[in-house]
Amino acid sequence: MTQSKEHIRAFIAHETWLLNTQAWDEWTALFSPAGAYWMPLTPAQDSPKNHVSLMYEAAALRAARIARLKKSDGLSVETMPRSVRHVSSLIIDSISENEWHARAAVMMAEYARGEVNTFHGTVQWHLQASGSGLVIELKRVDLINAEGALSDILTYI
Amino acid sequence: MTQSKEHIRAFIAHETWLLNTQAWDEWTALFSPAGAYWMPLTPAQDSPKNHVSLMYEAAALRAARIARLKKSDGLSVETMPRSVRHVSSLIIDSISENEWHARAAVMMAEYARGEVNTFHGTVQWHLQASGSGLVIELKRVDLINAEGALSDILTYI
Amino acid sequence: MTQSKEHIRAFIAHETWLLNTQAWDEWTALFSPAGAYWMPLTPAQDSPKNHVSLMYEAAALRAARIARLKKSDGLSVETMPRSVRHVSSLIIDSISENEWHARAAVMMAEYARGEVNTFHGTVQWHLQASGSGLVIELKRVDLINAEGALSDILTYI
Amino acid sequence: MTLDIAQLVKPDRVHRSVYTDPAIYQAEMERLLRRSWLYVGHESQIPNSGDVFSTRLADQPILVIRQPGGDIKLLFNRCKHKGMQLMADNTQGCVKALRCGYHGWIYGLDGTLKTIPSQAGYQGAEIKPGSDAVALNAVPDFAQHRGFLFARLESGGVDFSDWLAPMRPSLDNMIDRAPDGELEVAGGVLRYEHYCNWKFFFENTLDALHPMVVHLSSSKGAQRAAKKGASVDAYEARALSMLSPFSASYSFFDDMGQRGGAFGHGELGGKSSIHASYDVDPDYWDALVKGHGKDKAKAILSYGPNNSVLYPTIMFKAPVAMLRVIRPLGVDRTMIETWHFRLKGAPDSLLEQTLQYSTIVNSSAGIVGPDDHEAYRRMQSGLKAQAADWVLIARHAGQVEKDGNGLQSAPGTSDFVFRNQFAAWADAMAQP
Amino acid sequence: MTLDIAQLVKPDRVHRSVYTDPAIYQAEMERLLRRSWLYVGHESQIPNSGDVFSTRLADQPILVIRQPGGDIKLLFNRCKHKGMQLMADNTQGCVKALRCGYHGWIYGLDGTLKTIPSQAGYQGAEIKPGSDAVALNAVPDFAQHRGFLFARLESGGVDFSDWLAPMRPSLDNMIDRAPDGELEVAGGVLRYEHYCNWKFFFENTLDALHPMVVHLSSSKGAQRAAKKGASVDAYEARALSMLSPFSASYSFFDDMGQRGGAFGHGELGGKSSIHASYDVDPDYWDALVKGHGKDKAKAILSYGPNNSVLYPTIMFKAPVAMLRVIRPLGVDRTMIETWHFRLKGAPDSLLEQTLQYSTIVNSSAGIVGPDDHEAYRRMQSGLKAQAADWVLIARHAGQVEKDGNGLQSAPGTSDFVFRNQFAAWADAMAQP
Amino acid sequence: MTLDIAQLVKPDRVHRSVYTDPAIYQAEMERLLRRSWLYVGHESQIPNSGDVFSTRLADQPILVIRQPGGDIKLLFNRCKHKGMQLMADNTQGCVKALRCGYHGWIYGLDGTLKTIPSQAGYQGAEIKPGSDAVALNAVPDFAQHRGFLFARLESGGVDFSDWLAPMRPSLDNMIDRAPDGELEVAGGVLRYEHYCNWKFFFENTLDALHPMVVHLSSSKGAQRAAKKGASVDAYEARALSMLSPFSASYSFFDDMGQRGGAFGHGELGGKSSIHASYDVDPDYWDALVKGHGKDKAKAILSYGPNNSVLYPTIMFKAPVAMLRVIRPLGVDRTMIETWHFRLKGAPDSLLEQTLQYSTIVNSSAGIVGPDDHEAYRRMQSGLKAQAADWVLIARHAGQVEKDGNGLQSAPGTSDFVFRNQFAAWADAMAQP
Ligand code: FES
Ligand code: FES
Ligand code: FES
Ligand SMILES: [Fe+3]
Ligand SMILES: [Fe+3]
Ligand SMILES: [Fe+3]
């Protein structure tokens, strides 16, 4: 089924709300079976394989991280990080009848161990129609300071 | 009169702009007579009465705060705080024909005494149709670090 | 040709994306020949001529700055600043059939020499129809702390 | 460090450096905070065996744990293997044992080492389960009073009961206000970061000269809003009635009186306070009479200091069942926690009132706290002026009267309570 | 603190620690800044009785107040009760009296204590209205020159007029450029936070060797844009003409000359400057002739140093009527303010030009200031290298000539002005 | 500064202040870091003449430049004129000469001053092209080993080859894993800011007792995900297989063994490691045999320490071709860089594996690194507890055996490697 831009916009707002409310399971379920979350290290990076990344997680690694977050299991997530994302200036382009590319500005603020850390960048989604809805093939976040000295990022942006 | 989502979206953009331009009187006039502004201390908080909050202000307390802000009357507001809010990823749900629930990500930056402080969280509105327009029954802001050690918040988020 | 609000919204998202991806040349081409970018020092400022500003650049000064940014030519831009803007709560008003005034909240994060600096304020555009598209007559950014002690701003907000 | 304390604290003034000098702050940690009885918490925070919370005493990381037998133990939040902090700051839980998340050493609730993974690697008597050398260190001095927990990091000095004595009636008054004679922590804790020296808070809290200046705009704003009144419901009306007395007259505060005693303790009000005019819920009155008898109930409600200070970390407000504790973070940085109490046996309206007061007054987003905070910040910066070295505390000099319980009393707006704080401060700081 | 200043400042070099050592910075505050004439502001900031602004001199909070009689007074921004800073930093207002927002003490505009709320609580002669002991402290030394305000935090040392003398002709030139012979502050003030030692700014501002390197890309960019020109209106064309001379040749700057004199004062240019080629508005010329006569008008416009330094806090630009002042915040942090002046009696175009120049050049968002700032930042970090201890100021060593007004002159690109700054610096720093 | 090092480092424990005292950190910079062989980089970062990168050695800004003849030179990143840092930190480029962006002095690639703009202004022999006095300062000691670059900021002390000797076989093993016998930097560098003392990292990296505690949840999570498996492709399956061994048993780690030698060097594993079970790409095996012969190929792959430490700045992982280097920023702040290497002559899958491991394990956004980091942070805060002064490193005391290459060996979970680090640390710190 073809999706209107309005549907896609709502899908992305929904995706953001799930992350913002720490609804990790519902969030990862938005991905296609092979869908991946990617934070490259450099803006020109075209693959997670030939260059180191900040994060590259398909379903299994996401499941591992999410299990930690949900149970506060792991020293760094013991205090249960709480985070919120600000997605703005969304632009949606059709790739094909069933495929879209979306891009926006993104900022994430993550609260853990008494400190708030913030991260800024752009975000891109590769979306596909699936049944009556949409799935994420790839979500890519490019931080402006990805190559700088960063400290912990515990949740998804 | 029933409101389209587009109207509600415009209403919220207008509300944000009023806050962002320190148009306090027009802003508080957007609330229903019993409408309240609430910043709980914990995400699961269901009432301002059985748990301490960061802020809970209905019309009278808002009037008291706004009088201070408008006249820079009070040590902490002497330098006239200037603040701006970023509201994004808005989702609107109908509760009934005349009632809506809206939710989004929010960030506020407040400039006072030479410093900028920023606050991140989610925001929710309970809106009702009123005559040809809308009124706010409740605006609720949940900061990600509400339970952490915060310093002054002088204006509304 | 008259533009719908949806077109204007898309134009502004496009403008933001160009800035966010450091596409300086395409960005400055969005301005009308006499179009200017302005960051006043005070909120009430009505002209760049009778009061000092943080920035006031028409086409020629923008060309000079952009040449520096593109070639990393200049001590302060040697490390090629990377920046991203978050524009939200956009409101569009018609001034005439071919003219619009748009306003929003804006935040910019700029990464240079290993540090991220952030700036918050409101943004306004004066837009005009031009052929089948739109041009910027004036883009004005009012930072909440414009009058405070600021450090370097290297790119446009 | 050699500090000429006699040069810093005079009968009628103190030197600005006591608030601004990092070396003096460091000495305060060593000489005053480590050697004083400090606020720990309330036993209701850890009702059951294995309940535990982490906090700081002075700058030290501490665990407070309910033992299986019901006792409470205070342990340093520091593994005896390589030293990792066992629990993150300001967290809580219920545990069967304390397990270090670095190499998995497991301690019993009393701090005894129970298990070392792969223990065979250690020889000798020291590093093995049960050994004293690797038991979690206990805080040397610990005391309780009707549910409130206190501790001292360095042993020696005054007995707890002697230390508490001057303020004990007031603390008891707060507790007795519970029909069942017991309090419990409820309604969350506010943590408010202050950019100032910790001592400003303890002066301000007994400073009856500042409300009608600092809080005038909030108080008058509430009065104006109350007058208009149209859309004010009972809940918000109470909020306005809480703000209104902040601009009470000097004579109101003078009449309220103040009292000070040993160890820097002191309080403002007693027979009256800015809370005295609050309506009393008839159900509460009934419960109180049922719990204590009519005479005692009357006595309890007829007394209630505005603010009481158990120097140097505690301020409590008996009439509204809340307690504020300072956590010093640096010479010009202090965290202030506000804790709220449910009066056991009282109707919900009492806690509701406590929480509403705190939301309006103690919150970092309120319209009272930030004005006090701004005063402290400007004290911190104003005292950088080299032209004037002294902070005056001369008001009502010599005008004290003997009061009950070893206390002395003075008019509510006297600086006696500040002189009394600095006398204790100077005593402590003069001991190397 | 014992500083071997002779080991830090040599005839042709200075030791890197003068820029990087926090102990030296602290000594600068005590020995140099407190004992020097510092920039305060301009009287036009407070034209009417009761007008007041707050600022910092060195690290001290100061109030500058217009008295009813028209005089100006400088008072420490510090209440004599408990010490609160009366006005927040960098604010202004018009008041009938100075009221402390903590306990409401009210001072007259001259600093005399007028009212203590609930005064009866104080006995004795000290704490009462009119008492010297509780009057706001005045800054000991204060001086004015044709509207400009200067002060010194510690009394003693050189007379103001002697101190000003070497640079007085240049300051007068800036003022004389007003047809009415008076300036007034206008068009806002830029505050630019710099992450570097304050002294880099005073060297850089007289450093004629850096523009064609540091500002080349901005200058060339402007020249290129000017050449294309199509859509450039007159206003932006002037901006380009302001940027263009930043890459003028070494000989242009050498010919411009430099001069230095007592107290570290110095300047770059005089007969010529990078501003010399700006078009003169004919209306301005007419007004200037009307105000001063043709000969003096010519003389005024034929002179104008690029940058003049009144060490150690002031740099001014006579040809474009602006003044920059440093507010040191730490060994590696400095705030720089830029003030702009309206030439009384001149057409609006003059102020417009001043403000346009400042927007392009002095703003933290411009394409000139951030390049200078980056140079300072990299000086601050480069000087951490332990392999090389010295900063060279040897250029044109010994090549000075006697000039008028007690000054000596040298080619524009000489390091003489830096040697001259450090001679004054070393003099001051050698006095304990 | 007088440090009683003997009081800080005991055979079985170290005093907490070695991690927390700023004065000891400062002494470490002077006595340990400046006098040790430090990691600089790899020659493949600058393959061609004029290639240059900026970095920090200890706290010093350094340039590393390929000379026209192919040599590499290390110069202080500090102009000899006034001291500006020539290149910003952590940048790189290819240049014909080094030009200072402040006044345009131009240096040859070897640091010789070539050009001074407007040179005529300088007299005398010192300040002119070719003069030693104004040549960029060279780092005194520099050494290379098969592409890896090392340097020492202060001359004297142990020869490089002696210093490398104990760990040379392991470093060679990493290099020999390239079929062509050479590595090159590839795939980007991770920079991870740590809020802790630098020494925690070097202990943790050889700490075989922590993975099954600290990394249990990540390892078990991967194992669970692998079992479900449905949608896991080969690429992600490898990720899971990398995480899985992090919770290997104590005996697995004990059997892996550890070895330590002079200068604080040491390593964990050898015959086995957590990488030992990775599948070997058959194409790689073929290439390795082709490059080295079958016997040597087998020998190379049958050896491979988990982590090897070249104290005090380097950790490398031979089996996965990566190297981590610490850049200390303060007593409680450290930046850790991770560099990755392509094995020349090997198929792409090898680099892919290296990069995948690093993304999962070393990245600040991974699910391994942040848990280690949290342990370090809590060490830093836990050690503020005054009740316990000592960090225990007593495990397997005395249980060492002589090993090849001047090393001693111990069970994998022994604290011997830590004792060995602190022996070298104490030696260095005892020299004023
Ligand atoms: S530090 Fe606690 S078990 Fe090792
Ligand atoms: S501090 Fe100014 S009146 Fe008390
Ligand atoms: S500082 Fe390098 S050329 Fe002047
Ligand atoms: Fe108060
Ligand atoms: Fe410059
Ligand atoms: Fe680890």
Side-chain angles (χ1 to χ4, degrees), chain D residues 379, chain E residues 79 81-84 100 102-105:
Chain D
M379 290 291 290
Chain E
C79 179
H81 176 216
K82 300 195 82 171
M84 193 172 87
C100 179
Y102 202 172
H103 309 96
W105 285 26

Side-chain angles (χ1 to χ4, degrees), chain D residues 13 203-204 207 209-210 213-214 250 375-376 378-379 381-392 394-397 399 418, chain E residues 30 34 56 60-61 76 78 80-88 99-104 117-118 121-123 126-127 134 137:
Chain D
R13 61 192 61 199
E203 294 177 55
N204 186 75
D207 179 339
L209 287 169
H210 88 278
V213 180
V214 171
Y250 293 104
Y376 311 156
R378 293 223 206 145
M379 290 291 290
S381 63
L383 292 180
K384 282 187 194 136
Q386 296 172 316
D389 275 335
W390 298 100
V391 173
L392 302 181
R395 188 173 171 88
H396 289 127
Q399 296 177 52
F418 311 146
Chain E
E30 305 289 329
R34 281 182 65 76
R56 296 251 161 187
Q60 297 291 295
F76 281 86
R78 191 271 198 207
K80 291 302 287 289
H81 176 216
K82 300 195 82 171
M84 193 172 87
Q85 185 170 319
L86 298 164
M87 281 176 66
R99 179 165 173 277
C100 179
Y102 202 172
H103 309 96
S118 186
Y122 295 99
Q123 273 89 38
E126 274 209 344
I127 306 180
V134 288
N137 296 82

Side-chain angles (χ1 to χ4, degrees), chain F residues 204 207 210-211 214-215 246 368 371-372 376:
Chain F
N204 186 75
D207 179 339
H210 88 278
V214 172
H215 303 303
F246 273 84
V368 175
D371 284 340
D372 286 317
Y376 310 157

Side-chain angles (χ1 to χ4, degrees), chain E residues 204 210 215 372:
Chain E
N204 186 74
H210 88 279
H215 304 304
D372 286 318

Side-chain angles (χ1 to χ4, degrees), chain E residues 204-205 207 210-211 214-215 246 361 368-369 371-372 376, chain F residues 102:
Chain E
N204 186 74
T205 208
D207 179 339
H210 88 279
V214 171
H215 304 304
F246 272 84
V361 175
V368 174
D371 284 340
D372 286 318
Y376 311 157
Chain F
Y102 202 173

Side-chain angles (χ1 to χ4, degrees), chain D residues 60-288:
Chain D
Q60 297 290 295
I62 303 292
L63 294 175
V64 186
I65 315 175
R66 180 73 70 168
Q67 303 298 307
D71 282 357
I72 285 168
K73 264 201 106 152
L74 268 70
L75 302 169
F76 281 86
N77 187 5
R78 189 270 199 209
C79 180
K80 292 301 286 290
H81 176 216
K82 299 194 82 170
M84 194 171 86
Q85 186 170 318
L86 297 164
M87 281 177 66
D89 283 321
N90 295 323
T91 57
Q92 56 187 57
C94 181
V95 297
K96 293 224 167 56
L98 292 162
R99 178 164 173 278
C100 178
Y102 202 172
H103 309 95
W105 284 26
I106 298 175
Y107 300 87
L109 299 178
D110 65 350
T112 312
L113 183 61
K114 294 289 181 207
T115 317
I116 301 180
S118 186
Q119 188 197 327
Y122 295 97
Q123 274 89 39
E126 275 209 343
I127 306 180
K128 66 175 186 192
S131 152
D132 277 358
V134 288
L136 295 181
N137 297 82
V139 173
D141 289 349
F142 172 59
Q144 307 188 41
H145 179 76
R146 298 182 68 186
F148 286 94
L149 315 179
F150 304 83
R152 188 164 53 191
L153 291 164
E154 209 173 289
S155 222
V158 63
D159 275 355
F160 171 72
S161 62
D162 293 342
W163 175 82
L164 179 63
M167 290 295 111
R168 182 177 163 157
S170 297
L171 186 59
D172 281 342
N173 177 265
M174 181 158 80
I175 303 166
D176 289 341
R177 281 168 182 255
D180 297 355
E182 277 180 17
L183 303 181
E184 72 180 346
V185 160
V189 50
L190 290 170
R191 292 194 164 89
Y192 191 163
E193 179 141 18
H194 281 64
Y195 296 97
C196 65
N197 189 268
W198 63 275
K199 293 189 292 298
F200 294 133
F201 173 72
F202 283 117
E203 294 177 55
N204 186 75
T205 208
L206 300 182
D207 179 339
L209 287 169
H210 88 278
M212 65 286 292
V213 180
V214 171
H215 304 304
L216 185 72
S217 72
S218 298
S219 172
K220 291 294 175 206
Q223 289 168 15
R224 270 193 308 273
K227 249 176 232 158
K228 280 209 227 158
S231 68
V232 180
D233 65 9
Y235 184 72
E236 192 163 41
R238 184 171 58 190
L240 300 177
S241 76
M242 285 168 168
L243 284 169
S244 187
F246 272 85
S247 58
S249 70
Y250 293 104
S251 62
F252 174 82
F253 281 103
D254 260 338
D255 293 349
M256 177 184 294
Q258 63 167 219
R259 297 176 319 140
F263 318 114
H265 299 339
E267 62 191 3
L268 179 65
K271 299 264 180 310
S272 78
S273 78
I274 63 167
H275 313 293
S277 57
Y278 297 177
D279 293 337
V280 176
D281 182 332
D283 290 348
Y284 171 55
W285 173 247
D286 293 346
L288 201 63

